[in-house]
Amino acid sequence: GGGKSDESGVPVDERHKVEAVLRPFNCVPVWVPTTLFGEMYNGFCKGVLWPILHNVASVYSSPQTGNTERPDADKDIEPYDSQYAEYSMDDVAQGPIHGDGGREGELWAAFTAVNRHFTDVIIQCFNEGDLIWIHGFHLMILPSFLTRRISMAKIGIFLHTPFPSSEIFRTLWCREDLLRGMLNADQVGFHLFEYARHFLTCCRRLLGLNYGMFPDSSGGHNLAIDTNGRHVSVTSIHAGVEPPVLHQVLSHKSTVDRVASIRNQFRGKVIFAAIDRMESLKGIPLKLIALERFLQRCPEWAGKIVVVQVGISAFERGDDYTKTRNEIISMVTNINNRWPGTVQFQECAESEMRLQQRMALLRAADVVMVTTIRDGLNLIPLEFTIAHLDALTEQGRNDGRKRGLCILSEFSSCTRVMRGALHVNPWKISEIATAFYQALTMSEDERMRRISIASEFVTRVTTQRWALAVMLDLKGVQKNEDAGKYAGAGLGLGFRLLGMDSKFNSLDANSVA
């Protein structure tokens, strides 16, 4: 977190207890000083990388000072806001280089320091033949540190966020270091080919590298980037969910009771559910504007529908969270003043909306909505589909509910795999308003067809199958186990791993006079 004391995380004298609990799962914690982690996660990752990866590059507004006056209504969240304010700057001053001594240099230093912490622990645990699979944009430069010390290891990195176009990514002052960090891995993975294509283009335009289909050891061809005598494989496959686990949660008595409670609370109404973090990227206000327009055009549905909007507190987003929260509360109040009981808004911490609570709400809902303006991995529509698979059965058809439909933003990654959903452009309010109407008036045959199509992916591509596919790709990477076949070049994060198998002729010592 963003605390000032190293002790504000897990106390040092209790760390051995955490290690003991994790040991049966073959897990090893990486202990990072809390302040350092706050600067890395809330400062660099969320304040600098997060907006860029989601195609947001603000160049006109000035950096936050953390001293902005708040309206009285926000006094209850000021302690949290001030805690994260200095670590959540979307507009970090971008100097010509990352190490110019400014604030961006401090955040970058924290980012590299945390990646080094992970490096040290991984090196301690690594055994010859192990596969190293890195997850998330928080560790984008970790492969650079690892390849210096274990060049023969097969390393993969998978990003669960979008990857921006080269025109956006090139605005980062540390762009080359981040790209080289990823390219020091042997495999780079994304949920969609769209993100992979942006990454490939960045490598070509910013580093001058070529990419294409290269032969593999099994006689096939893989998409890869040609860099310094090495081929870095690029994989794109969307993650799924685990139906058996979700069915187990759904059948639990506490979940069943919670579903019944929600249904009784909104008896006789069609329930539209949404679970979003309260930041501008999630597009909650766009959804509420569309709801208002729908009720203006179709007043006969007033009192017959309810939108249950769960807002996950996003204190780390600083002013973005505060402004989004105020806007949502204001819009919900206006809608409920005109059409009482139409929107049920609930703000909660992420810890209060875990899988069990989430599945109860999704099971009770008839329609789920995602109107994000840019999103990476979002499994809520997949979980919702699993929760309503029984709608395809005879018993489900006769329960009197028009349920099982998803309304998805075309800017969410899962839209590409959830082909049975109603796809909308969140920037076009009329489309979302029309989706409300379609979900309420859709014929039974079309609804069954859409649920059936949506169920194809969630039942076929599970989390296990996704992980297995990516790991098999990583295992299949052609890499010589002889460390002597690789050489390093470059200083600092300009380090590059050179493959000595391709187009390399060793110098004949006898020819040297």
Side-chain angles (χ1 to χ4, degrees):
K4 298 299 181 184
S5 169
D6 290 352
E7 296 293 326
S8 61
V10 178
V12 174
D13 59 355
E14 294 184 10
R15 290 180 176 179
H16 69 279
K17 299 179 182 179
V18 176
E19 293 170 353
V21 170
L22 293 175
R23 199 169 293 120
F25 300 96
N26 294 319
C27 294
V28 178
V30 178
W31 300 113
V32 179
T34 311
T35 303
L36 181 66
F37 181 81
E39 290 197 327
M40 175 277 242
Y41 183 79
N42 297 315
F44 189 78
C45 293
K46 286 292 187 178
V48 180
L49 284 184
W50 182 262
I52 292 295
L53 292 175
H54 289 79
N55 274 355
V56 178
S58 177
V59 294
Y60 292 110
S61 55
S62 58
Q64 297 178 156
T65 61
N67 298 322
T68 309
E69 290 187 11
R70 309 279 193 235
D72 292 340
D74 294 326
K75 288 182 179 178
D76 58 328
I77 64 170
E78 276 189 358
Y80 301 96
D81 191 36
S82 61
Q83 178 182 359
Y84 290 100
E86 63 173 316
Y87 299 141
S88 56
M89 298 178 290
D90 284 359
D91 306 294
V92 175
Q94 298 188 5
I97 57 173
H98 56 69
D100 65 345
R103 178 58 175 158
E104 67 278 5
E106 297 175 6
L107 298 179
W108 175 257
F111 181 70
T112 57
V114 172
N115 276 258
R116 288 181 185 275
H117 274 78
F118 274 83
T119 303
D120 293 337
V121 176
I122 292 172
I123 295 296
Q124 293 171 16
C125 301
F126 178 78
N127 293 305
E128 188 175 347
D130 288 348
L131 300 178
I132 300 176
W133 194 16
I134 302 166
H135 287 263
F137 67 100
H138 318 83
L139 302 172
M140 287 174 75
I141 60 175
L142 180 56
S144 285
F145 296 130
L146 290 174
T147 52
R148 283 177 176 270
R149 299 165 68 177
I150 44 174
S151 58
M152 78 297 296
K154 291 186 178 181
I155 302 171
I157 181 170
F158 201 102
L159 296 192
H160 299 281
T161 58
F163 200 89
S165 70
S166 60
E167 291 302 310
I168 298 293
F169 191 80
R170 71 193 307 169
T171 63
L172 282 171
W173 74 91
C174 50
R175 60 194 188 184
E176 288 90 355
D177 292 335
L178 294 173
L179 287 179
R180 288 196 184 103
M182 297 175 69
L183 289 172
N184 276 322
D186 301 292
Q187 178 209 47
V188 181
F190 302 91
H191 286 292
L192 295 180
F193 179 72
E194 172 188 338
Y195 307 154
R197 178 167 49 83
H198 287 162
F199 173 70
L200 294 170
T201 304
C202 283
C203 291
R204 183 180 64 194
R205 292 182 177 177
L206 301 181
L207 299 180
L209 302 177
N210 294 320
Y211 61 85
M213 302 299 293
F214 295 95
D216 57 23
S217 57
S218 61
H221 288 76
N222 286 328
L223 177 63
I225 298 174
D226 186 9
T227 170
N228 301 309
R230 300 167 51 241
H231 290 160
V232 179
S233 175
V234 178
T235 299
S236 57
I237 177 172
H238 199 285
V241 293
E242 283 296 307
V245 175
L246 299 184
H247 287 310
Q248 185 178 5
V249 172
L250 287 168
S251 62
H252 196 277
K253 184 179 183 302
S254 61
T255 307
V256 174
D257 292 343
R258 179 57 183 157
V259 171
S261 173
I262 297 174
R263 294 297 303 174
N264 288 331
Q265 181 181 357
F266 304 112
R267 185 183 299 275
K269 294 184 178 182
V270 178
I271 302 175
F272 290 77
I275 305 173
D276 305 285
R277 292 185 67 80
M278 288 201 289
E279 56 179 308
S280 55
L281 284 171
K282 301 306 178 183
I284 302 175
L286 299 174
K287 181 190 312 165
L288 296 176
I289 294 172
L291 172 64
E292 192 170 11
R293 181 173 298 185
F294 165 70
L295 291 175
Q296 289 172 347
R297 294 182 175 180
C298 304
E300 67 274 11
W301 285 102
K304 298 179 181 179
I305 67 171
V306 60
V307 174
V308 180
Q309 174 66 63
V310 176
I312 306 297
S313 302
F315 298 118
E316 76 278 1
R317 296 301 302 137
D319 280 350
D320 182 29
Y321 159 67
T322 304
K323 293 174 183 177
T324 303
R325 178 181 183 271
N326 291 341
E327 188 175 5
I328 293 170
I329 292 175
S330 175
M331 297 178 72
V332 168
T333 301
N334 291 337
I335 293 174
N336 285 335
N337 285 341
R338 185 168 181 181
W339 301 284
T342 297
V343 181
Q344 179 77 22
F345 174 67
Q346 170 195 352
E347 180 178 3
C348 65
E350 195 164 7
S351 59
E352 299 176 69
M353 191 51 63
R354 296 300 188 188
L355 183 61
Q356 190 166 355
Q357 296 85 2
R358 199 163 65 237
M359 291 306 296
L361 175 58
L362 296 178
R363 173 65 181 176
D366 300 297
V367 182
V368 75
M369 298 189 71
V370 176
T371 55
T372 178
I373 60 178
R374 189 69 174 171
D375 207 359
L377 180 63
N378 189 334
L379 296 178
I380 287 178
L382 283 70
E383 294 171 347
F384 175 82
T385 301
I386 291 293
H388 292 275
L389 282 180
D390 65 322
L392 297 171
T393 66
E394 190 64 31
Q395 183 179 357
R397 288 171 178 261
N398 298 326
D399 63 4
R401 293 173 58 187
K402 290 190 173 183
R403 60 189 175 98
L405 282 177
C406 301
I407 298 176
L408 295 185
S409 163
E410 64 185 48
F411 297 105
S412 179
S413 68
C414 62
T415 303
R416 309 299 194 279
V417 297
M418 297 291 287
R419 294 179 296 110
L422 290 170
H423 297 168
V424 297
N425 176 0
W427 294 108
K428 192 172 183 179
I429 302 301
S430 60
E431 276 195 18
I432 308 177
T434 301
F436 272 105
Y437 182 78
Q438 286 180 289
L440 292 166
T441 60
M442 184 175 293
S443 68
E444 187 71 7
D445 288 343
E446 183 179 356
R447 185 169 65 89
M448 289 297 106
R449 181 180 64 82
R450 286 182 176 273
I451 297 175
S452 178
I453 293 174
S455 67
E456 290 178 5
F457 178 83
V458 297
T459 55
R460 178 172 52 86
V461 181
T462 63
T463 306
Q464 289 188 38
R465 182 170 178 177
W466 163 77
L468 179 62
V470 179
M471 293 299 284
L472 286 176
D473 281 352
L474 176 57
K475 190 175 182 179
V477 168
Q478 298 183 47
K479 192 164 189 179
N480 200 310
E481 295 182 0
D482 181 5
K485 294 294 184 180
Y486 298 96
L491 300 175
L493 287 170
F495 176 83
R496 300 176 300 284
L497 186 65
L498 309 180
M500 311 306 285
D501 284 338
S502 176
K503 300 178 182 178
F504 174 76
N505 295 316
S506 59
L507 179 65
D508 185 1
N510 294 325
S511 65
V512 179

